[in-house]
Amino acid sequence: MSIPNKIIAGDSVSWTEVSFISALGSITSANWKLTYSLRGSLPAGNVDVLGAASGGGWNFQLSPAQSAALNTGATRLTWYWQAWAQSLDLQQRCTVGSGQLFVSPNLAAMAANTAFDGRSQAEQIYAAINNEIKARVDGGVSVEYSIGNRSLKREPTAELIKLRSHYLTIISNERRAQQLATGQGNSGRVGVRFK
């Protein structure tokens, strides 16, 4: 399916689907309508986008108002979609794809005094782990304590270090994917010359 996997709230978004083969046979705009249903954490943003017939396929469009309703905050949100085809005679229906898309906030729509943290979730967790380790090294945090009949035991520092390494790998993969997506190449590629 050709729906973008990343959009910015408030932008016009369009994509095209071509005809395809499913378990029900050939799916074309001559006999089928194709719809994308987007659902997420903001009920006002839930939308069904019906494709406009174009040749044998379909064109889809989200208006700026529709995409703005997908993210009204300051953090990236995950939305889920399903694409489904229904025969024009309404006798058959099938789900033809599903997935998720990420909707980044529209910085221009945010008030100038609004806090914004553009780091990924992995980068934010990595920073929190580093802060926790630093607090423990500085001696300001106890690892276990009890108050009355309640107790709290924090993760051992060795486990935090393992977790930090895990999130550093995730961040490295995110950055590599970002480089590839923006055409900056694969930083892990090794060139070889033969004589």
Side-chain angles (χ1 to χ4, degrees):
M1 307 307 302
S2 300
I3 186 171
N5 62 357
K6 295 178 186 176
I7 65 172
I8 295 176
D11 282 358
S12 298
V13 181
S14 61
W15 68 98
T16 300
E17 296 293 351
V18 296
S19 60
F20 53 92
I21 304 295
S22 80
L24 297 176
S26 180
I27 308 290
T28 69
S29 59
N31 299 319
W32 294 81
K33 58 183 178 174
L34 186 61
T35 303
Y36 273 84
S37 295
L38 281 76
R39 301 293 184 266
S41 59
L42 300 175
N46 291 344
V47 64
D48 294 327
V49 184
L50 177 62
S54 173
W58 303 265
N59 290 328
F60 294 88
Q61 294 211 343
L62 279 176
S63 70
Q66 287 173 315
S67 75
L70 300 176
N71 192 338
T72 58
T75 60
R76 184 174 82 165
L77 296 179
T78 303
W79 280 76
Y80 300 91
W81 59 264
Q82 280 187 342
W84 51 279
Q86 186 167 29
S87 61
L88 295 180
D89 64 7
L90 306 180
Q91 297 300 310
Q92 295 180 308
R93 180 193 185 280
C94 66
T95 301
V96 296
S98 62
Q100 62 186 21
L101 65 99
F102 301 105
V103 183
S104 296
N106 180 353
L107 300 183
M110 295 169 58
N113 62 351
T114 301
F116 175 72
D117 186 350
R119 296 176 297 172
S120 71
Q121 183 177 11
E123 290 171 323
Q124 293 175 27
I125 292 171
Y126 180 79
I129 292 169
N130 280 337
N131 289 339
E132 177 67 17
I133 292 171
K134 182 179 181 323
R136 289 184 186 185
V137 169
D138 292 344
V141 178
S142 62
V143 175
E144 187 173 351
Y145 63 90
S146 297
I147 300 174
N149 62 351
R150 300 179 130 197
S151 64
L152 175 66
K153 184 174 182 178
R154 294 180 183 245
E155 201 67 36
T157 303
E159 290 299 317
L160 284 177
I161 291 171
K162 285 182 191 176
L163 198 57
R164 180 176 67 177
S165 177
H166 170 74
Y167 278 99
L168 190 56
T169 300
I170 292 172
I171 292 167
S172 176
N173 290 340
E174 287 175 345
R175 290 182 180 162
R176 191 172 303 115
Q178 178 87 20
Q179 286 178 332
L180 288 171
T182 58
Q184 297 175 354
N186 183 353
S187 60
R189 189 173 66 188
V190 176
V192 177
R193 182 174 33 169
F194 295 98
K195 290 186 176 186

